[in-house]
Amino acid sequence: MELIANNDLTKVIMLIPLVGYIILFNDQFAEISSFRMIAGAESDASTPFFLTSLTKMKLVFIGSLLLMISNFIFRVFSPEILKLAKGDIEFSARVTERYSVHELSRMERDVLSDHWQPRLSLFWIVQGQTRAKKPLVSGYRPDVRSQMFSQRGDYISFLAREWWTGEMHTHRVARCVSLVTGSIGFFLLAMPTLDISQAVIANFLPSLW
């Protein structure tokens, strides 16, 4: 979802609605900008476009507005842990570096609880080898953290990855809405680009022969 709703391109595009009137719907700007000139078409020739200029401007405006909504939903409902790590392996490394025994015990209780939905098969394979849903971290004291990692390093790594993956599946409705609005937004933005591209190519190809 983040690839759609929170990438650098989305952050730039979603600024368009904030200045949309000035850029897209200002009469003076509309007179200066000419899609026909971009395509290289003569003023008295039939239009080389499938979409009108106003339609293309509206698609850009609506598409960028949808991307702004998608990004807003993502920022409101995205898990806090996503700010610390963008992937489960990266999060596992952070856990090894920073997390205390108490934090790991709390993470383990979440993952081994009855309401948890398994996500990472590797963790449950490792867990199953020791006995199903038996806590392996909770018995350690904070002063023996290094010993805990030396004995349970692989288990803790998979535990962290399982917990991070589970956190990425919270707020299902918000994730779906953000993904759908972002995808539609990019699709609407692509339509004017494709229309202009086909007109430019159609005008350019005859000159090659």
Side-chain angles (χ1 to χ4, degrees), residues 73-87:
I73 295 174
F74 174 84
R75 290 181 177 275
V76 171
F77 292 99
S78 62
E80 288 294 322
I81 200 64
L82 194 58
K83 299 177 181 178
L84 178 65
K86 300 298 184 182

Side-chain angles (χ1 to χ4, degrees), residues 22-94:
I22 298 176
I23 295 180
L24 299 178
F25 297 112
N26 183 280
D27 294 337
Q28 187 174 5
F29 179 85
E31 291 176 1
I32 295 175
S33 63
S34 173
F35 289 111
R36 296 178 66 87
M37 182 176 64
I38 296 174
E42 299 294 336
S43 58
D44 57 347
S46 59
T47 177
F49 302 108
F50 294 109
L51 304 173
T52 65
S53 298
L54 183 59
T55 299
K56 284 194 279 286
M57 288 183 176
K58 288 180 178 178
L59 288 173
V60 170
F61 182 81
I62 296 174
S64 58
L65 183 62
L66 288 175
L67 285 181
M68 184 175 69
I69 294 173
S70 176
N71 183 265
F72 175 77
I73 295 174
F74 174 84
R75 290 181 177 275
V76 171
F77 292 99
S78 62
E80 288 294 322
I81 200 64
L82 194 58
K83 299 177 181 178
L84 178 65
K86 300 298 184 182
D88 59 329
I89 296 178
E90 180 184 356
F91 177 68
S92 176
R94 298 279 184 138

